[in-house]
Amino acid sequence: MEDIWVFIEQDDGELEGSSLEVLSKARELGEKYGYMVSGVLFGSDVKKLVEEAGRYGADRIIYVDDENLRIYNAEVYAKAMVELARRYNPNTILFSATRNGRDLAGRVAIPFNSGLLAHVISLDFDEEGRLTGRVPGFGGSIAAIVKCIDSRPQLATVTPGVFEAKTFDRECKYVEEKLEVDLTPDKYLVISREKSPVKDISKSEKVVVAGQGTGGELDIVYELAKLLNADVGVTRPLADRGLAPRDIQIGSTGVNLKSKLVIVLGASGAPHFVSGIKDCDLVISINKDADAPIKEHSDYFVVADIFKVVPKLLELLRGGGDA
Amino acid sequence: MVRVDFGNRERLAELMDREFYKCYQCGTCTVNCLLGDSLLVRRTIRHIQLGITPENGYIWKCISCNFCGAQCPSNVDIAHIFRSLKALKYEEKNYPEKVNEVLWNVYEEGNPLGSPKKERFTWLQKTGSSDEYDVLIYTCCMAAYDKHGQDILMRTAYILEKAGLKVGFFTDSSCCGDAVYHVGDDYFYEEVANQNAERLDGYKAEVILTVSPHVYHNLKNLYPRYNARISTPILHHTQYLYELLNEGRLKLGKLEARVTYHDPCYLARYNDIVEEPRGLLEAIDGIEFVEMPHSKRETLCCGGGGGGIWLENEEARDVTRRRLDEVAYIDTNVMATACPYCIRMFEDESKVLNMDLNVIDVTELLYEALVQSVKAST
Amino acid sequence: MLRNIIVLLKIVPKPEEVVFNPETKTVDRSKARNEINEADKNALELALKLKEKYGGKVITLSMGPPIWDKYIRLGVAMGADDAILVSDRALAGSDTLPTSLTLATAIKKIGDYDIILCGEESSDGGTGQVPPGIGGWLDIPHVTYVSDIVEISQDGWATVKRTIKGGHELVKIKLPFIAAVELGSNKPRFPDFRRKRWAEREFQLKIWSLQDLGLEPDKVGFKGSKTIVSELEEVKPAERRKEVLSGDLDELARKLYEILKENI
């Protein structure tokens, strides 16, 4: 039976949630077309991770346990993936379109001369077994339906957040592999890291988004988010200025929100941004420019200076608003 | 002891048309500078006289209001000296980060704000193109992308049409280049100026009209220095409307208001246009016109010129406030002016100060008076 | 002194000006103005900074139609020393695989390179796959999501800052390498308009064909691609109420408060 592989990303012992979404989707495709579904996990001391990942729909988890694989390394991971794929000849390898997933997929495609679908938002096989997906382009306003042809393995990266991670009550096998290739990096060394925990806002129910119009003064944004029990996101220019991490940047080069409520403060509505809020239930935006394009993408469009109206709103939210 | 660097002095002298030699260091400029001590005008000129290029940084604060120049007993063109310094610093690639952004915006979107080029004229209802106009309006970026500015443009057009004129907008315009000129990029400015002049010559019009003193000054006085010549006469709207008034072609009704007028630097000091806007206001029956302590060539400044409006010039807010203090002093809540920069600066700052002040263009009062007269006659 | 610094420049239509025709299911780029892909400008800026610090020659490399000429010259006006355009009808329809092969072949032809820089992805296609792909074809290390190149040391290693989830890491990478530069990671310098005049009037842009590269036509274009686009569709924005609220600030705040109360 042919195999669909899903690269299960982990970082220093922490599983990347969006890989599990892809794994659950692979399970669905496996059932539909009769493929075996394998998760492929690289890491160091991965026993627990492997068992956790196994719950999301895999028939087996193939893993390599090596200190050199503890965190992502472009050189080492590509070597490992290429050797494993040569050994098993999977039909398809799927990656979550995280930074590392895209990085790895782009490199692995070359030695196999593989077709690679980029950050798809839907995934299927056609009648000839060709991997098929929707690929958004032009800032998310146009999607192309793209297929892999004459490729083994066929590859795709999957946009995080489009599929749901589900646990399955089924048996999963765990296969540890030893590689022949030397995994000691010799051209690419990660020498230090600086990171703080970030909340994955792609699944937040409520998000307050700060745009250029805030001028980078985010106090009222955080205050509003706190009172609403919401998370904070930003548009690209603010992330460019280093005022917020890229992980909370909304839009086609960042996170796509699926929130029940999003409040957009001072964002004009550039196409690359609005594609990130198109799946939200209710969009309220506040902008002092009555003609800002964000109007077209809002349920409620409030024409006002955010620095004047938001403080008043904060007061109401604090005071219970019945006064 | 500081010795004169003759070589550098000559280089600076060429750049500044030898203006600084006229200076005898009386200090009137520094005393009068609207930015307080930020610019150290006299000292800067002294350094130049010694052949020392002033250090970078503070020169970018100059808003080219030329209040200093107007007071100078030796008639030194101080604004020109400072703008030349900016050009020098630009050439050395020694400029605030914001300058880079403004230039890209003008290059890519045709305006310093960075607003999409294709949205420049979305507010324009009818775009009936014609080959010939009596009046062709050149919009200022500030007006084209601002609701209030758009009103001013439309109302100006309305008044002109009521006077029986065929009015068109210069719809393939981009920025006049004022911001580019003031950040000192001469080569880019030359390209902008020539491109605009060439496109303007593709229209047939009796007169090119602009609601911005900056556009006016660029087209009329600066473009020719960069070999960009426009064959059609260029007028500021207050000049042209004043002509129409004198020809009896504006029928104005009555308006009750106590109004003052703020002279934009580039109308009053740079181009000596002071009587026309006043003439227009005084022609409206019922208007009580009051002058502020500083007016005409002695006018204060909104703080927005010389590229200041684009460069996040915090010190310039003091300049804006100083003018607003005078408005408060004469106790009026209608301030007419005739420049999109002035309107934006005063509107924004008066809101911050919670002032009850209506900042409007002269044209808007004329429009109201015109509407009154139409109402009265029906 | 560094050897050649090669910057990949792609010219893209402004995304907001691209029109989709739902009937013919085609993208009309003809009315859209073009621009240098934004992230590629960040790559060029980084290259120019490296040159200022370590020396070397900055060469831009593009693959596209001859009409890109004007934009490539803008890159020269920004400070690139040389520019090459790979242009051949047979390249039409290339997906990322033949694109990275073609660019890698051109890079070999330029030769003598230490660093290859490009934007993390392009705003039209936006796959981000070309940089690792080129690394693969050239068998050199690649590094993606780079916000800065901190140092290049004498022993032939560079230290780069790479964005990761929740922060960044420093990666030591051996020269020569290819780096994909993060969008918005620096402020690209405004072109020097005196140089622009020279770039437009006197600079000789090198145009290479497939033959110049020694590439067989069936390795590129539609034939060399391993993916096909079967259809295009417009991603329609969700229908919104678009209710405009304006007026008195207190009333607005009150109204907002009520809407929020209803919905949370």
Side-chain angles (χ1 to χ4, degrees):
Chain A
M1 194 191 268
E2 279 199 302
D3 225 351
I4 303 177
W5 276 17
V6 176
F7 171 61
I8 308 292
E9 196 180 332
Q10 65 83 36
D11 182 77
D12 199 8
E14 195 187 321
L15 276 181
E16 165 59 45
S18 60
S19 314
L20 305 175
E21 300 166 5
V22 183
L23 185 55
S24 297
K25 176 66 185 178
R27 167 85 266 138
E28 182 196 314
L29 293 172
E31 294 291 327
K32 196 166 159 192
Y33 299 105
Y35 292 113
M36 188 165 156
V37 175
S38 305
V40 175
L41 193 148
F42 301 150
S44 175
D45 294 326
V46 292
K47 196 158 184 314
K48 267 200 187 132
L49 294 183
V50 164
E51 280 168 15
E52 170 67 13
R55 297 167 54 226
Y56 289 85
D59 294 307
R60 64 179 173 190
I61 303 283
I62 304 167
Y63 66 98
V64 181
D65 202 324
D66 189 300
E67 175 52 27
N68 289 309
L69 297 169
R70 197 169 52 80
I71 57 170
Y72 183 76
N73 177 307
E75 179 192 0
V76 179
Y77 269 56
K79 275 188 204 165
M81 184 58 97
V82 170
E83 185 179 331
L84 265 195
R86 288 222 162 99
R87 198 175 289 176
Y88 281 84
N89 286 317
N91 174 291
T92 293
I93 312 177
L94 304 175
F95 306 77
S96 174
T98 59
R99 291 186 186 88
N100 295 341
R102 293 181 189 207
D103 183 287
L104 181 59
R107 185 81 184 213
V108 168
I110 303 303
F112 295 103
N113 250 307
S114 283
L116 166 51
L117 313 179
H119 46 76
V120 295
I121 50 173
S122 74
L123 201 59
D124 207 346
F125 290 95
D126 73 0
E127 61 282 0
E128 292 166 51
R130 298 183 297 194
L131 189 64
T132 304
R134 268 189 185 72
V135 178
F138 298 102
S141 55
I142 293 166
I145 297 171
V146 190
K147 293 177 180 192
C148 286
I149 45 171
D150 313 327
S151 314
R152 280 300 177 274
Q154 3 188 29
L155 310 181
T157 64
V158 180
T159 299
V162 297
F163 301 118
E164 203 182 324
K166 293 176 215 157
T167 53
F168 293 80
D169 191 15
R170 55 179 302 156
E171 202 188 326
C172 177
K173 279 192 281 188
Y174 301 97
V175 184
E176 178 167 7
E177 284 285 348
K178 295 280 176 213
L179 299 178
E180 279 161 25
V181 64
D182 181 5
L183 291 177
T184 318
D186 68 347
K187 288 178 175 166
Y188 186 113
L189 314 165
V190 178
I191 53 174
S192 70
R193 320 178 88 197
E194 218 175 281
K195 56 182 269 183
S196 43
V198 279
K199 188 157 185 219
D200 173 13
I201 60 169
S202 68
K203 291 178 188 64
S204 302
E205 287 217 342
K206 287 168 277 178
V207 178
V208 180
V209 182
Q212 274 274 63
T214 60
E217 289 169 40
L218 301 181
D219 289 355
I220 56 166
V221 179
Y222 280 102
E223 184 66 19
L224 180 60
K226 201 175 109 192
L227 289 171
L228 293 173
N229 200 14
D231 291 309
V232 171
V234 296
T235 60
R236 206 176 72 206
L238 294 195
D240 286 355
R241 284 167 63 186
L243 295 165
R246 295 272 177 207
D247 307 84
I248 61 163
Q249 175 184 318
I250 314 296
S252 58
T253 47
V255 181
N256 287 318
L257 297 177
K258 283 186 161 174
S259 319
K260 290 210 167 77
L261 168 72
V262 57
I263 303 178
V264 182
L265 301 177
S268 63
H272 64 76
F273 165 66
V274 294
S275 74
I277 57 166
K278 69 176 190 314
D279 298 328
C280 297
D281 293 340
L282 185 75
V283 179
I284 301 173
S285 57
I286 309 179
N287 204 299
K288 66 177 173 187
D289 176 7
D291 302 318
I294 188 73
K295 180 168 110 186
E296 299 300 312
H297 307 275
S298 309
D299 293 296
Y300 295 99
F301 177 65
V302 181
V303 187
D305 184 338
I306 48 176
F307 291 103
K308 286 179 186 151
V309 75
V310 175
K312 288 182 190 288
L313 177 63
L314 292 177
E315 241 168 72
L316 290 171
L317 288 166
R318 276 192 213 105
D322 299 321
Chain B
M1 195 184 89
V2 179
R3 295 178 64 183
V4 180
D5 180 340
F6 288 99
N8 195 41
R9 183 167 75 177
E10 184 50 29
R11 190 169 76 106
L12 293 167
E14 260 177 48
L15 194 70
M16 296 165 184
D17 301 312
R18 324 197 89 75
E19 275 296 318
F20 57 78
Y21 286 123
K22 293 195 284 190
C23 170
Y24 50 76
Q25 291 287 300
C26 67
T28 306
C29 46
T30 297
V31 174
N32 281 288
C33 178
L34 297 180
L35 287 163
D37 275 347
S38 311
L39 288 186
L40 302 165
V41 189
R42 184 201 57 78
R43 200 190 67 167
T44 303
I45 299 175
R46 183 62 192 148
H47 280 178
I48 297 168
Q49 288 175 331
L50 295 170
I52 303 165
T53 305
E55 70 229 45
N56 192 33
Y58 72 94
I59 59 151
W60 293 95
K61 300 288 176 197
C62 176
I63 47 177
S64 79
C65 65
N66 207 23
F67 191 68
C68 55
Q71 318 298 323
C72 177
S74 189
N75 206 18
V76 179
D77 189 348
I78 303 173
H80 180 49
I81 291 178
F82 272 80
R83 139 69 210 182
S84 306
L85 281 175
K86 288 181 186 173
L88 191 70
K89 296 296 176 190
Y90 182 81
E91 186 91 8
E92 292 169 359
K93 305 198 186 323
N94 210 341
Y95 47 78
E97 211 173 69
K98 194 82 184 152
V99 167
N100 195 49
E101 187 184 323
V102 166
L103 290 169
W104 274 116
N105 287 344
V106 174
Y107 179 73
E108 297 207 314
E109 300 300 337
N111 67 82
L113 302 105
S115 301
K117 188 177 200 132
K118 62 170 190 173
E119 285 168 21
R120 190 180 179 97
F121 286 101
T122 44
W123 47 273
L124 194 60
Q125 304 292 322
K126 44 172 188 185
T127 43
S129 56
S130 164
D131 321 336
E132 271 184 63
Y133 298 105
D134 295 317
V135 182
L136 183 68
I137 298 180
Y138 192 133
T139 59
C140 164
C141 303
M142 199 72 217
Y145 290 102
D146 175 79
K147 180 76 182 58
H148 190 178
Q150 293 157 11
D151 283 350
I152 292 166
L153 290 164
M154 292 306 281
R155 285 171 184 194
T156 306
Y158 176 86
I159 296 169
L160 296 171
E161 279 168 357
K162 278 281 164 206
L165 296 159
K166 197 168 173 194
V167 184
F169 281 87
F170 177 33
T171 48
D172 42 356
S173 63
S174 72
C175 178
C176 70
D178 185 58
V180 178
Y181 178 78
H182 282 289
V183 302
D185 189 342
D186 276 325
Y187 288 89
F188 182 29
Y189 184 71
E190 186 168 359
E191 189 170 305
V192 171
N194 280 283
Q195 200 174 61
N196 279 327
E198 206 175 290
R199 285 184 190 159
L200 274 170
D201 269 350
Y203 286 79
K204 274 190 192 138
E206 293 296 312
V207 54
I208 295 164
L209 205 69
T210 167
V211 297
S212 164
H214 299 270
V215 174
Y216 174 79
H217 186 70
N218 277 273
L219 265 56
K220 192 175 166 74
N221 303 325
L222 299 179
Y223 278 21
R225 294 190 210 162
Y226 293 80
N227 300 315
R229 283 168 216 289
I230 299 162
S231 45
T232 315
I234 297 142
L235 290 176
H236 186 257
H237 68 302
T238 57
Q239 290 177 298
Y240 193 66
L241 291 169
Y242 190 61
E243 270 179 36
L244 293 179
L245 179 77
N246 287 340
E247 288 166 13
R249 293 169 73 178
L250 297 183
K251 296 209 176 5
L252 304 175
K254 201 173 162 163
L255 282 184
E256 298 284 344
R258 183 177 154 88
V259 180
T260 188
Y261 173 73
H262 163 76
D263 291 273
C265 304
Y266 275 79
L267 269 198
R269 261 192 291 277
Y270 282 85
N271 288 294
D272 228 354
I273 301 170
V274 294
E275 296 309 331
E276 294 87 335
R278 285 179 174 74
L280 288 168
L281 291 174
E282 280 162 0
I284 304 171
D285 198 18
I287 280 194
E288 183 194 346
F289 182 74
V290 270
E291 287 283 10
M292 284 182 276
H294 289 85
S295 65
K296 301 187 178 171
R297 282 184 60 81
E298 306 291 309
T299 185
L300 297 181
C301 170
C302 73
I309 200 163
W310 314 114
L311 300 182
E312 286 167 3
N313 187 344
E314 201 44 42
E315 283 87 343
R317 288 179 72 178
D318 296 343
V319 180
T320 323
R321 286 180 184 220
R322 186 164 164 197
R323 188 47 146 180
L324 289 174
D325 278 350
E326 287 202 349
V327 184
Y329 172 76
I330 57 157
D331 192 24
T332 170
N333 50 20
V334 183
M335 177 204 229
T337 184
C339 170
Y341 289 2
C342 295
I343 290 173
R344 169 57 76 85
M345 295 298 283
F346 290 131
E347 257 182 0
D348 285 358
E349 199 60 27
S350 62
K351 272 187 202 151
V352 172
L353 297 172
N354 252 328
M355 280 174 80
D356 176 21
L357 181 67
N358 205 355
V359 186
I360 51 173
D361 194 282
V362 171
T363 251
E364 293 176 275
L365 284 168
L366 287 180
Y367 172 84
E368 290 299 332
L370 200 72
V371 170
Q372 290 305 322
S373 99
V374 174
K375 266 190 202 158
S377 65
T378 52
Chain C
M1 184 163 121
L2 279 179
R3 298 187 295 165
N4 290 333
I5 307 166
I6 300 172
V7 182
L8 307 181
L9 287 191
K10 184 174 182 185
I11 311 307
V12 293
K14 283 179 177 281
E16 67 271 23
E17 295 186 6
V18 171
V19 186
F20 183 73
N21 183 334
E23 269 150 40
T24 58
K25 298 201 168 183
T26 49
V27 174
D28 183 4
R29 300 171 179 231
S30 65
K31 288 192 186 66
R33 286 176 299 141
N34 288 321
E35 61 185 359
I36 300 175
N37 183 46
E38 256 186 277
D40 297 357
K41 271 197 219 159
N42 293 122
L44 179 54
E45 175 61 29
L46 182 55
L48 295 169
K49 283 216 181 86
L50 289 178
K51 178 192 161 166
E52 282 159 14
K53 206 163 159 191
Y54 301 104
K57 200 170 149 192
V58 174
I59 303 167
T60 70
L61 170 64
S62 310
M63 172 182 140
I67 49 158
W68 285 12
D69 180 287
K70 174 182 157 195
Y71 303 93
I72 293 168
R73 287 175 198 273
L74 191 69
V76 175
M78 283 172 73
D81 299 292
D82 205 350
I84 291 148
L85 172 65
V86 178
S87 195
D88 198 306
R89 279 172 191 278
L91 287 166
S94 296
D95 73 356
T96 52
L97 198 74
T99 300
S100 54
L101 171 65
T102 307
L103 289 169
T105 312
I107 290 166
K108 270 191 216 155
K109 184 171 158 76
I110 296 169
D112 202 30
Y113 54 89
D114 267 335
I115 297 176
I116 304 156
L117 297 175
C118 56
E120 66 177 39
E121 60 177 54
S122 57
S123 64
D124 58 346
T127 68
Q129 292 161 358
V130 170
I134 291 173
W137 291 115
L138 294 174
D139 197 20
I140 58 171
H142 76 267
V143 55
T144 50
Y145 305 98
V146 169
S147 62
D148 198 11
I149 294 184
V150 186
E151 202 199 349
I152 297 168
S153 56
Q154 292 291 333
D155 59 359
W157 287 76
T159 308
V160 310
K161 195 171 166 185
R162 175 176 191 259
T163 300
I164 56 173
K165 193 174 189 176
H168 65 263
E169 60 189 11
L170 290 181
V171 174
K172 266 194 89 171
I173 187 165
K174 198 163 183 355
L175 267 51
F177 66 90
I178 177 164
V181 178
E182 199 171 51
L183 175 65
S185 58
N186 57 35
K187 303 262 184 234
R189 66 195 59 189
F190 189 67
D192 176 339
F193 267 62
R194 184 160 28 174
R195 188 171 167 82
K196 184 164 170 277
R197 277 179 207 180
W198 171 81
E200 279 166 2
R201 290 168 200 173
E202 287 166 58
F203 171 74
Q204 292 289 322
L205 174 68
K206 291 186 187 73
I207 300 185
W208 289 351
S209 66
L210 277 186
Q211 210 179 348
D212 294 326
L213 295 181
L215 271 177
E216 296 300 322
D218 61 355
K219 287 264 190 284
V220 299
F222 287 111
K223 280 186 189 158
S225 295
K226 295 291 182 181
T227 58
I228 47 163
V229 176
S230 62
E231 206 177 302
L232 290 180
E233 54 182 38
E234 192 173 14
V235 180
K236 284 227 179 78
E239 267 307 306
R240 297 285 175 196
R241 291 175 58 155
K242 299 176 197 172
E243 191 174 325
V244 179
L245 308 174
S246 64
D248 178 73
L249 287 171
D250 288 303
E251 273 169 36
L252 281 178
R254 166 72 54 182
K255 192 106 187 235
L256 271 171
Y257 176 71
E258 273 154 22
I259 295 168
L260 288 175
K261 228 165 78 176
E262 252 171 58
N263 286 285
I264 54 177

